[in-house]
Amino acid sequence: MNSHVTHAVIPVAGFGTRMLPLSKSVPKELLPLGNRPAIHYVVEEAIAAGIKHIVLVGHAQKSAIENYFDVNAELDNQLRAKGKDELADSLNWLPDDVSVSMIRQGKPLGLGHAVLKARPIVGDNPFAVLLPDVVLNPFTTNMSTDNLAFMMKEFEQSQHSQILVSAVADEDVHKYGIAKLKQAEQLQRIANTDNSNASFAVDGFVEKPSLEQAPSNLAVVGRYVFAPEIFDYLAKTEPSVGGEIQLTDAIDALISTQGVDVTTMLGDSFDAGDMTSYMQAFIYFAQQQLSQK
Ligand code: G1P
């Protein structure tokens, strides 16, 4: 095992039913946020943090995502023949030392199942998971030091898996995995970590609890760094909430045998998988980009 995190798994197999009709024939991950598809920012975030191998877990209708990260030779030739070299270069922005591969999930059995599908490529290495519905704000966050980059560094030092969390409003706790930790510790730590990421031990997680059952208001944001042993637990995880194999259940099992920490999120994030927040995010990204022109 290598303690350096160089792989990132991005599950892209969801149908995006909350984004219909936009997502009927275009994968929701390719819907625009300003002038780029949403997944562009997620892959940029991973690369800025130091990831070299991106593994997309998708299905047959998602091959347009893989194409987005490949060179379109015909388009490239045509642009260069017309003297538009700068535009052609801007489309080939993926660094030479970064690879993007895609495997298929087969059956839609849940997030945990999708992550397990990446095992043949990730092997016995630690890895990151980025859920592409969640887009961290690239205009206010330094992606080469904060959040995922911080979690990767923290893992390399402690060998503790890291789960990014952020406080959410009471009416939203039922949409997320919610962290269980000692109340006093939680309040004290959060109060002290407003301007930097901080990482501390977690007791467990509850997937999509009601407000009454929620152990805190700290929600799993959709960025994870895992020790490779998570695959062993995923392989044993039975379907639970929503009839799906939940990543949260495998994390709970991992916590019983090795250290797992939550990392508090710095900056803000957007939910690009929900129509209302997607439209708000689109306007924000477009305004930022128009003001930079
Ligand atoms: C998934 C995870 C959940 C997490 C959420 C973040 O849920 O299961 O723990 O809080 O992503 O967006 P999903 O939104 O896929 O239902």
Side-chain angles (χ1 to χ4, degrees):
M1 176 184 130
N2 182 349
S3 79
H4 206 52
V5 183
T6 56
H7 289 76
V9 176
I10 306 185
V12 294
F15 276 112
T17 46
R18 290 181 297 155
M19 295 299 286
L20 288 168
L22 292 180
S23 56
K24 188 179 172 196
S25 54
V26 176
K28 63 175 173 170
E29 296 81 3
L30 291 181
L31 293 173
L33 283 181
N35 61 13
R36 287 175 169 67
I39 195 159
H40 183 111
Y41 304 102
V42 177
V43 168
E44 260 185 350
E45 175 196 341
I47 293 172
I51 293 296
K52 301 294 181 197
H53 308 288
I54 310 267
V55 186
L56 304 168
V57 184
H59 61 70
Q61 278 83 49
K62 297 278 183 146
S63 49
I65 301 176
E66 195 178 13
N67 295 344
Y68 181 77
F69 295 105
D70 197 2
V71 175
N72 181 337
E74 210 180 328
L75 175 63
D76 192 77
N77 289 339
Q78 204 177 92
L79 289 173
R80 290 184 198 283
K82 289 181 177 164
K84 296 183 176 172
D85 292 74
E86 210 176 307
L87 180 57
D89 289 344
S90 74
L91 299 180
N92 301 331
W93 56 277
L94 211 66
D96 286 341
D97 63 349
V98 171
S99 69
V100 176
S101 46
M102 189 155 189
I103 50 168
R104 291 189 180 183
Q105 189 179 1
K107 295 177 189 160
L109 299 179
L111 177 59
H113 177 254
V115 172
L116 182 59
K117 282 285 167 181
R119 189 177 202 171
I121 300 181
V122 174
D124 193 21
N125 292 300
F127 63 101
V129 173
L130 294 88
L131 305 188
D133 277 357
V134 180
V135 180
L136 303 191
N137 189 339
F139 306 103
T140 57
T141 314
N142 183 342
M143 299 294 184
S144 56
T145 53
D146 300 334
N147 297 322
L148 185 63
F150 177 92
M151 294 161 73
M152 286 162 56
K153 207 165 124 218
E154 201 65 26
F155 175 84
E156 282 160 20
Q157 281 164 7
S158 67
Q159 305 297 300
H160 288 186
S161 295
Q162 304 287 321
I163 321 285
L164 193 66
V165 294
S166 170
V168 293
D170 283 358
E171 61 266 31
D172 290 330
V173 295
H174 71 97
K175 299 182 194 163
Y176 297 99
I178 299 291
K180 212 186 301 171
L181 57 165
K182 290 172 198 76
Q183 187 70 14
E185 180 182 40
Q186 171 190 326
L187 293 174
Q188 193 188 352
R189 301 272 190 166
I190 299 298
N192 291 338
T193 57
D194 278 346
N195 294 316
S196 58
N197 288 115
S199 169
F200 49 94
V202 61
D203 285 347
F205 292 91
V206 184
E207 182 66 19
K208 302 192 175 74
S210 63
L211 183 56
E212 297 70 44
Q213 287 165 338
S216 75
N217 68 338
L218 286 183
V220 174
V221 173
R223 299 294 182 271
Y224 313 77
V225 172
F226 288 120
E229 288 78 17
I230 191 78
F231 285 135
D232 296 332
Y233 294 104
L234 282 170
K236 289 184 227 158
T237 301
E238 298 287 335
S240 65
V241 180
E244 298 190 338
I245 296 175
Q246 295 290 350
L247 184 55
T248 318
D249 291 338
I251 297 171
D252 269 357
L254 186 68
I255 290 173
S256 64
T257 57
Q258 53 174 264
V260 176
D261 298 343
V262 284
T263 301
T264 56
M265 185 179 83
L266 201 57
D268 51 349
S269 67
F270 300 90
D271 180 358
D274 169 82
M275 191 61 90
T276 303
S277 46
Y278 165 75
M279 289 196 287
Q280 288 162 344
F282 178 87
I283 292 168
Y284 175 81
F285 275 67
Q287 279 173 340
Q288 291 291 322
Q289 289 161 348
L290 286 171
S291 71
Q292 283 168 8
K293 286 205 173 208

